[in-house]
Amino acid sequence: MLALAVKAVGGVERPGQLAMARAVQHAIDSGDHLAVQAGTGTGKSLAYLVPSIRHAMTSEGSVVVSTATIALQRQLVDRDLPRLAEALAPLLPREPTFAILKGRRNYLCRYKASAGWPDDEQEQLFDPGEVSVTGRMVQRIQEWADETETGDRDELVPGVNEQAWRQFSVSARECLGAQRCPSGTDCFAELARARAAESDIVVTNHALLAIDAMEDIPLLPEHDVVVVDEAHELVDRVTSVAAGELSESGIAMAVRRVGRLVEQGIADRLLQAGEDLKALLAVAPPGRIDELPQVLGLTLALIRDAASACVTALGPRTGGDKDDPEGAGLRKAAFTALDEVRDTAQRMLDAFGHAEEVDRAEVVWLDAGTERRPPTLRIAPLTVAGMLREKLFGDRTVVLTSATLALGGAFDGLARQWGLSAAPGDRSGWSGLDVGSPFDHPRSGILYVAEHLPQPGRDGLPEAYLEEITELIEAAGGRTLGLFSSMRAAKAATEALRERLSVPLLCQGDDSTMQLVKRFAEDEPTCLFGTLSLWQGVDVPGPSLRLVIIDRIPFPRPDDPLSSARQRHVAAKGGNGFMAVAATHAALLLAQGAGRLLRSQHDKGVVAVLDPRLATARYAGFLRASLPPFWPTNDPAKVRDALRRLAAS
């Protein structure tokens, strides 16, 4: 069946692909969980889709495939699954069916678009040009709403900003429900759920997978198998879903939603509590909050109690809805906003007061904000392992796959973050498999570590780094992707090197990332510098990319509230916080960054890491074991000669 599927998509069956397909089939049959590392070019999508389709066709439920990016969702739904369904139909009782399902926020709400709900945006002065741009986007959404068949935001091209889209969408908690909503029979989100419920394969995203696992009401159709593609991003995406925030603007939005539904004095109490929070956060130092200051505790309690008073004043959550659907929508929106404010304030209060560090479950920090974004209190879980173990892995078989899962040469690090392992070497109920890569890494790529350079500091790129980058790019004739640990470093390098180099140099932020990558791929001498999204989001096969430069090991910032709290928490439990959190984070990004080099069988080039710690530090072996097996060298002359030969070929 796999051979037929590969032929249908015009591919070539590979040993790694076959090994992965067999392992996925075994996991489905045995009920054990499986983690599979499959390098770029393996054909992992077909390797998990074929056994998934076979299982879905012989069971009563669907198989859910979860991805981290829209690009992979579209590849699966628009390219891989249609071809597979047609090719495999003769071997199956009927042609397999599939659907894509996203969170409710991603679909246009017909009722909100027609009911004239209050605008959620702050009542503040906006740039007139920005307002007019958003106004044009709103008009375009209104025109699109009359012709769309799916209501899916991603089909609105070009896209619109969040401010415009929010006026036409609702969250799951805000939704009235199909039975009570006047537009329930035509609801785009409900229609998408209905299609998914009748499909063999349901493609979704990590965020919706997490929400489905955490909420009491299931969002996904009945299923006993989940495939998590791009699984290296699962923990971060689940953490984002489980995080909460509290700010004056969010509280003011809740007050606006309450509007005239409660007495003015009751709403004013919440508005005043929000003003108190604003004043407090304006003078507080940003960063992690380990002990709850008395004044902050009192303010959070005021916010909680004022939100609770508004909830009580709103009266019953149901009743009279059929006679006044518009009023029901406004009340549901008010309840949703108030519940979020009240519950988040209480959650932040509960995060403190533990006698021991090991008892702490969440971390609270102050995000200083920007000119356009107010200071915000944030809260996030220190680990999502328990939730994933209970809610995701508990009663279904899960296959997790990515090109980078075996960090330091082992799956244990990510397995503990997923909740699969309690300790190193614990493989009860799951197994790990590295099926390798179709690329010949030692013959196709060089890993160059600039051991002679000084260690990177905090004061920007040293002159020696700029000279090294210049020499490498000149030897390569451009064709360089520069991956930097911060946007500030990327911009500084761009500004300094544009005066030294004769090749075009693009920097993230000059245009949309998609347009920059397109220009980079189409013009061979062009170089592209950037930060985080480029470490994982660039797929440029061919001669336009011969050199990947990484300025420093991408450890999280020492003052990053969440990662520093997680390190401390691991240490309090007797583990190595640095290796479990910081080094694992760095290994994952390094592997992703190095993976940008070889995207096809014919690609060749160099990954140059300027940070000498990759050769000298005690943790260097762990990091290097996470990288593809390129031919290693510390000799800059050999690297420049190799780049010149490639440029001349």
Side-chain angles (χ1 to χ4, degrees):
M1 189 178 284
L2 178 63
L4 188 63
V6 172
K7 183 179 179 181
V9 300
V12 177
E13 191 172 345
R14 299 186 175 97
Q17 185 182 53
L18 183 59
M20 178 176 174
R22 287 172 174 166
V24 172
Q25 185 63 58
H26 176 74
I28 292 174
D29 293 341
S30 66
D32 287 342
H33 306 302
L34 172 69
V36 185
Q37 177 164 287
T40 302
T42 302
K44 61 183 170 64
S45 296
L46 295 189
Y48 65 67
L49 284 176
V50 170
S52 295
I53 289 173
R54 178 186 291 163
H55 175 72
M57 298 288 284
T58 57
S59 67
E60 295 182 358
S62 306
V63 171
V64 171
V65 177
S66 177
T67 77
T69 61
I70 293 173
L72 182 54
Q73 287 179 27
R74 294 257 62 98
Q75 175 190 314
L76 292 173
V77 173
D78 296 340
R79 191 187 72 182
D80 294 348
L81 283 167
R83 295 179 183 176
L84 277 181
E86 183 179 356
L88 298 181
L91 304 180
L92 299 168
R94 56 176 172 78
E95 184 168 317
T97 56
F98 54 90
I100 188 168
L101 185 61
K102 304 174 184 179
R104 194 170 290 270
R105 271 281 189 199
N106 293 278
Y107 299 98
L108 181 136
C109 173
R110 290 186 187 273
Y111 177 59
K112 188 170 184 180
S114 62
W117 284 18
D119 187 358
D120 289 344
E121 291 304 311
Q122 301 180 58
E123 296 172 359
Q124 57 177 288
L125 293 177
F126 290 100
D127 177 86
E130 186 175 320
V131 172
S132 63
V133 168
T134 299
R136 289 194 293 271
M137 289 180 177
V138 167
Q139 183 177 358
R140 195 151 55 79
I141 296 172
Q142 291 171 331
E143 295 169 353
W144 172 75
D146 293 332
E147 60 188 40
T148 178
E149 295 181 359
T150 66
D152 186 338
R153 178 181 180 177
D154 292 329
E155 295 183 8
L156 181 58
V157 180
V160 297
N161 63 30
E162 187 63 26
Q163 181 183 346
W165 182 254
R166 197 180 297 134
Q167 298 180 44
F168 296 87
S169 65
V170 297
S171 67
R173 291 185 177 182
E174 293 169 325
C175 177
L176 286 174
Q179 301 301 318
R180 296 159 59 199
C181 178
S183 303
T185 56
D186 299 320
C187 174
F188 287 123
E190 291 296 327
L191 291 172
R193 287 188 65 186
R195 285 192 294 270
E198 297 174 354
S199 300
D200 299 308
I201 304 294
V202 178
V203 178
T204 188
N205 55 60
H206 294 350
L208 187 62
L209 185 69
I211 295 170
D212 179 74
M214 292 188 293
E215 296 289 341
D216 294 331
I217 302 174
L219 302 176
L220 295 168
E222 193 70 27
H223 60 282
D224 61 356
V225 174
V226 177
V227 178
V228 181
D229 203 340
E230 302 173 309
H232 62 279
E233 295 205 43
L234 180 63
V235 169
D236 285 345
R237 299 301 173 100
V238 174
T239 299
S240 294
V241 169
E245 64 177 51
L246 205 56
S247 68
E248 181 272 336
S249 61
I251 294 171
M253 184 269 287
V255 172
R256 285 197 301 277
R257 287 194 176 183
V258 171
R260 299 188 180 130
L261 300 175
V262 302
E263 292 181 11
Q264 188 65 42
I266 298 175
D268 285 346
R269 281 180 54 196
L270 181 56
L271 189 63
Q272 183 57 55
E275 292 288 346
D276 292 345
L277 181 67
K278 178 181 180 181
L280 181 60
L281 299 187
V283 297
R288 196 178 71 212
I289 304 173
D290 293 331
E291 300 294 334
L292 181 64
Q294 184 179 16
V295 64
L296 178 58
L298 291 172
T299 304
L300 289 173
L302 282 173
I303 292 168
R304 175 200 61 198
D305 295 343
S308 295
C310 288
V311 169
T312 301
L314 278 172
R317 292 179 182 257
T318 59
D321 296 347
K322 294 182 180 179
D323 300 327
D324 183 18
E326 182 173 343
L330 296 176
R331 286 170 56 79
K332 187 68 180 285
F335 275 121
T336 299
L338 291 169
D339 287 345
E340 186 171 344
V341 168
R342 179 197 59 196
D343 295 348
T344 303
Q346 183 62 55
R347 182 179 167 189
M348 290 178 174
L349 289 167
D350 293 341
F352 300 96
H354 302 289
E356 301 291 339
E357 174 62 32
V358 293
D359 299 325
R360 194 190 297 264
E362 301 200 280
V363 58
V364 178
W365 71 96
L366 173 57
D367 180 345
T370 64
E371 291 182 3
R372 302 170 58 82
R373 184 167 45 82
T376 301
L377 273 181
R378 301 188 185 278
I379 184 169
L382 287 168
T383 175
V384 295
M387 189 273 284
L388 288 174
R389 181 169 56 248
E390 178 185 354
K391 302 292 189 179
L392 180 61
F393 298 108
D395 55 1
R396 56 181 61 89
T397 301
V398 183
V399 174
L400 307 109
T401 185
S402 170
T404 48
L405 293 181
L407 305 179
F411 292 91
D412 294 348
L414 285 179
R416 287 195 296 275
Q417 292 186 15
W418 296 328
L420 285 178
S421 290
D426 177 12
R427 290 290 178 89
S428 55
W430 73 279
S431 60
L433 173 68
D434 183 354
V435 299
S437 166
F439 302 152
D440 188 346
H441 286 93
R443 291 181 177 272
S444 300
I446 296 173
L447 174 64
Y448 165 54
V449 181
E451 191 174 353
H452 63 284
L453 291 179
Q455 286 195 18
R458 295 187 177 183
D459 301 325
L461 290 172
E463 175 61 26
Y465 278 49
L466 295 174
E467 291 177 359
E468 185 80 21
I469 295 172
T470 301
E471 292 175 357
L472 288 169
I473 291 177
E474 287 177 340
R479 303 177 176 88
T480 300
L481 177 65
L483 302 177
F484 293 83
S485 54
S486 69
M487 201 63 235
R488 185 178 67 173
K491 289 181 177 179
T494 302
E495 185 176 343
L497 294 176
R498 275 177 175 159
E499 300 175 358
R500 307 186 188 195
L501 295 170
S502 59
V503 295
L505 179 52
L506 306 175
C507 185
Q508 195 172 4
D510 292 345
D511 200 342
S512 72
T513 300
M514 183 175 68
Q515 287 299 319
L516 290 173
V517 173
K518 184 172 183 289
R519 289 164 60 186
F520 173 60
E522 291 176 350
D523 184 35
E524 283 190 26
T526 296
C527 302
L528 174 59
F529 287 2
T531 185
L532 190 59
S533 62
L534 297 187
W535 287 72
Q536 304 182 75
V538 175
D539 186 6
V540 180
S544 291
L545 179 52
R546 294 300 195 203
L547 172 63
V548 174
I549 294 177
I550 297 174
D551 70 328
R552 63 190 299 161
I553 297 172
F555 292 119
R557 288 170 54 97
D559 59 353
D560 178 81
L562 184 54
S563 65
S564 62
R566 284 176 166 172
Q567 288 187 58
R568 185 181 62 180
H569 191 66
V570 170
K573 290 185 171 183
N576 186 323
F578 171 79
M579 293 301 295
V581 180
T584 296
H585 172 92
L588 185 56
L589 271 182
L590 271 178
Q592 286 286 313
R596 301 310 96 201
L597 182 66
L598 304 184
R599 309 303 296 177
S600 75
Q601 293 277 14
H602 305 293
D603 289 347
K604 295 181 180 294
V606 172
V607 174
V609 181
L610 307 185
D611 191 336
R613 293 175 295 177
L614 192 59
T616 61
R618 68 185 186 283
Y619 48 77
F622 172 79
L623 297 180
R624 293 178 74 140
S626 307
L627 297 174
F630 296 119
W631 184 77
T633 184
N634 298 332
D635 188 335
K638 288 183 179 178
V639 170
R640 290 195 293 269
D641 287 344
L643 287 170
R644 292 189 189 100
R645 287 195 297 271
L646 276 177
S649 63

